[in-house]
Amino acid sequence: MRKVEADALEVIELAGAGRFAELAERFTPRMREVVSAETVRVGWSVQTGGAPCTPGVPAAEATTEDLFRVRTPVSCPAGDFVVVMSLDPAGRLHGLRLAPPAEQVWQPPRYAKPGRFTERDTGSGTLTLPRGAGPVPAVILLPGGGVQDRDGTHGADKPLKDLAWGLASRGVAVLRWDKPMPEHTLTEEYVTPALTAVQEMCQEPTADPDRIFLLGHSLGGKVAPRVAAASPMIAGLVLLAAEAMPMQRSAQRVVRHLAARDPGPAADAMIAAADRQVATVDGDLGPDTPAADLPFGFPASYWLDLRGYDPVRTAAEFGRPMLILQGSRDHQVTVADDLALWRAGLRDRKGVTIRVVRGADHVFHRRGRHVTGAVIRRIARWLRSAG
């Protein structure tokens, strides 16, 4: 085994043993600016559920003269995945991410009828169009936080593709797009690409320019009112598991939920680190605060941008129809915390429909590996009535 492959296994062994501070000592200075040991700890805990996992055989390929990409399959009770890392010959980490295994294949849900629509790539993503004469209602999908491909891929699950194919099967045009890791602000992450997508949809003859809606999931739901405030073309909002609490509080809540599943010294340390990061965001946050001291390793500019944004108040000022759906089994965005804020802030707003989907989790799986058909049907009916 080459040294770079042995180094990759050592990284995985450190993560599996909960030795994240020791793992972070391998970060290059550039990586340390944007990723902390606690960021890796949370990601590993989410992926593995805290259970022991077994690494497979690493496979390395040279990407430059002094950098290798190493892919190592990992077998885990919570689901297999691949650790992808960039390493130099000295064993220093330049990048690290957890990816689904390549052999996992998405299968269309029963409610998707490929004969009823077509798909094509555009300048910003994939456009799914119902067959037949238009104009039809149209939706721009806003994915959740972090790196997301246009399908919302997680293993064999593709909830955004479920939504696109399900809605297109029911006469709705859908545009979805890839979202990279955020760099500076929420506006750069979402608003700018979403407005580009809106303009593309306005130029599509099948889509009705007077019935263009935003459909945001999780953080995408949180930012949807900000996008709508920036575009007069938006006819309404569909918010799925939309965050309403301050984002740092949501991160803190998720960490506590994960720690409760696997209590012990490592979990206590994870909670303490998350609490310190949240206190920094809430307190003496400045433009020069290191990203490693902040939740998710996002830069200070990102958190400063969020400080002035209240999604519920912004939505209340948006004078168009809204549909808000929330899963009852969601522990990332919850009925008790987030949905309660949407209900309170929009109590006096006409044209707002709020529903809890019983038994649904954060991506609206209820039974099986797809967005439940009841959600697809409800959204399609609402879009027709709202338009």
Side-chain angles (χ1 to χ4, degrees), residues 365-376:
H365 291 172
R366 190 155 57 185
R367 292 182 296 273
R369 306 301 299 269
H370 293 291
V371 173
T372 178
V375 167
I376 301 293

Side-chain angles (χ1 to χ4, degrees), residues 29-237:
R30 175 70 185 96
M31 185 172 173
R32 197 171 291 117
E33 289 177 1
V34 298
V35 179
S36 69
E38 296 310 316
T39 303
V40 179
R41 184 195 299 274
V42 171
W44 186 267
S45 298
V46 170
Q47 184 69 55
T48 65
C53 299
T54 304
V57 178
E61 61 176 333
T63 56
T64 66
E65 290 184 359
D66 58 356
L67 203 61
F68 295 85
R69 179 180 294 111
V70 187
R71 297 175 58 87
T72 308
V74 177
S75 178
C76 189
D80 296 347
F81 60 98
V82 177
V83 180
V84 184
M85 60 187 86
S86 294
L87 288 163
D88 61 28
R92 294 180 300 176
L93 271 167
H94 293 247
L96 175 68
R97 66 185 178 90
L98 309 182
E103 65 271 14
Q104 290 188 306
V105 178
W106 176 84
Q107 297 293 333
R110 286 184 295 176
Y111 51 72
K113 310 296 182 185
R116 297 181 182 177
F117 59 83
T118 62
E119 276 197 330
R120 72 168 188 268
D121 286 340
T122 71
S124 64
T126 296
L127 185 61
T128 311
L129 294 171
R131 294 185 184 274
V136 299
V139 163
I140 309 295
L141 297 187
L142 304 181
V147 177
Q148 294 269 350
D149 71 12
R150 64 193 63 188
D151 297 331
T153 302
H154 182 75
D157 301 337
K158 296 179 180 290
L160 299 183
K161 191 170 185 176
D162 288 348
L163 287 165
W165 282 34
L167 292 174
S169 297
R170 291 178 170 268
V172 179
V174 183
L175 179 60
R176 62 194 196 274
W177 42 280
D178 299 323
K179 187 168 72 63
M181 179 66 74
E183 293 188 4
H184 301 293
T185 66
L186 190 73
T187 298
E188 291 176 356
E189 182 183 7
Y190 280 99
V191 179
T192 301
L195 293 180
T196 298
V198 170
Q199 290 302 314
E200 286 191 2
M201 190 65 89
C202 287
Q203 296 169 13
E204 170 53 48
T206 304
D208 186 343
D210 294 325
R211 292 189 292 168
I212 296 178
F213 298 83
L214 299 177
L215 190 160
H217 173 251
S218 195
L219 183 57
K222 184 190 197 94
V223 76
R226 179 180 275 193
V227 177
S231 173
M233 301 303 298
I234 305 304
L237 302 178

